[in-house]
Amino acid sequence: SAVISQKPSRDICQRGTSLTIQCQVDSQVTMMFWYRQQPGQSLTLIATANQGSEATYESGFVIDKFPISRPNLTFSTLTVSNMSPEDSSIYLCGSSEGSGNTIYFGEGSWLTVV
Amino acid sequence: TQLLEQSPQFLSIQEGENLTVYCNSSSVFSSLQWYRQEPGEGPVLLVTVVTGGEVKKLKRLTFQFGDARKDSSLHITAAQPGDTGLYLCAAFETSGSRLTFGEGTQLTVNP
């Protein structure tokens, strides 16, 4: 299984600012994903990060709010732009070897917007 | 979107008790996965079930995939405080590209 590292693990941010979360995988992977999770609740897919092309966003999530980069097969970033308290959440990076394959997750980045 | 319904949402039991968590859907899945998540950590894969009627055991945890591949259950025998966590079922949608999660079951095992 892939080992996934996320940075930062935790941050407190001022409303109106933007924060970029980094996700590093210890091996080349086909697919990378970004999920959001309220504490104690389930995961909601934000987008699939595609290497060499724009990310594929889920309904309710837009590129202007959550720009994503995927410069190579081991790295991706998610930016949470113009943050508001409603963006306070855990953001999780996942990776898999391909469509329908097991997704492994990083430890998450816990953002609190004040 | 293929909805996964988990029950119960919350479960608080005493050490040594048995419990079962259910994951149901009206859709048929090619496979279904169970994850466990502890506070401050990402979800960790416990098992993947693929064949209808399949039963998999992981120490005190028993996972079953329904015959019609629409539902699954997780049974824990003699629960321990270390079993405390959020249990999530998940399945890929028909296209195979999107992993959808159930609402989760927050389990607390009291010493």
Side-chain angles (χ1 to χ4, degrees):
Chain A
S1 62
V3 176
I4 302 171
S5 302
Q6 284 186 236
K7 289 193 294 187
S9 58
R10 186 180 289 262
D11 208 341
I12 299 174
C13 308
Q14 296 293 321
R15 69 175 66 199
T17 63
S18 299
L19 182 78
T20 296
I21 303 167
Q22 298 180 3
C23 178
Q24 179 74 55
V25 188
D26 68 343
S27 59
Q28 293 186 342
V29 292
T30 304
M31 304 184 79
M32 294 182 75
F33 306 90
W34 288 99
Y35 283 81
R36 184 168 71 182
Q37 182 185 30
Q38 297 291 326
Q41 296 187 21
S42 190
L43 282 70
T44 300
L45 180 63
I46 297 172
T48 301
N50 305 308
Q51 198 264 332
S53 64
E54 272 195 10
T56 304
Y57 288 85
E58 297 301 304
S59 176
F61 298 97
V62 294
I63 188 171
D64 289 345
K65 177 66 175 177
F66 298 101
I68 287 170
S69 78
R70 176 101 192 263
N72 56 52
L73 292 175
T74 65
F75 187 78
S76 178
T77 67
L78 169 73
T79 299
V80 186
S81 303
N82 188 24
M83 287 185 283
S84 67
E86 292 71 34
D87 295 320
S88 297
S89 192
I90 304 166
Y91 292 85
L92 289 154
C93 172
S95 74
S96 77
E97 292 300 326
S99 182
N101 286 26
T102 297
I103 296 179
Y104 297 97
F105 289 92
E107 294 189 343
S109 299
W110 192 315
L111 302 188
T112 302
V113 184
V114 297
Chain B
T1 301
Q2 296 156 324
L3 184 64
L4 287 167
E5 297 180 346
Q6 270 187 253
S7 62
Q9 187 176 359
F10 298 97
L11 192 55
S12 181
I13 62 172
Q14 295 300 121
E15 183 174 1
E17 293 183 359
N18 301 330
L19 67 113
T20 302
V21 177
Y22 299 93
C23 178
N24 297 297
S25 176
S26 58
S27 301
V28 177
F29 298 108
S30 57
S31 67
L32 189 141
Q33 302 177 337
W34 284 94
Y35 288 82
R36 182 172 77 195
Q37 184 179 24
E38 298 183 29
E41 310 258 340
V44 175
L45 180 69
L46 295 174
V47 77
T48 299
V49 286
V50 178
T51 306
E54 181 178 8
V55 176
K56 282 191 174 180
K57 292 194 174 186
L58 186 65
K59 296 184 180 178
R60 294 175 293 100
L61 278 62
T62 301
F63 304 86
Q64 184 161 7
F65 202 13
D67 290 341
R69 292 186 286 123
K70 292 183 177 182
D71 55 87
S72 181
S73 64
L74 158 60
H75 182 79
I76 302 180
T77 304
Q80 299 177 1
D83 295 327
T84 293
L86 179 67
Y87 289 81
L88 296 154
C89 66
F92 284 99
E93 298 192 353
T94 307
S95 65
S97 62
R98 185 184 294 112
L99 185 65
T100 300
F101 284 83
E103 304 100 319
T105 296
Q106 183 63 56
L107 171 66
T108 302
V109 182
N110 302 299

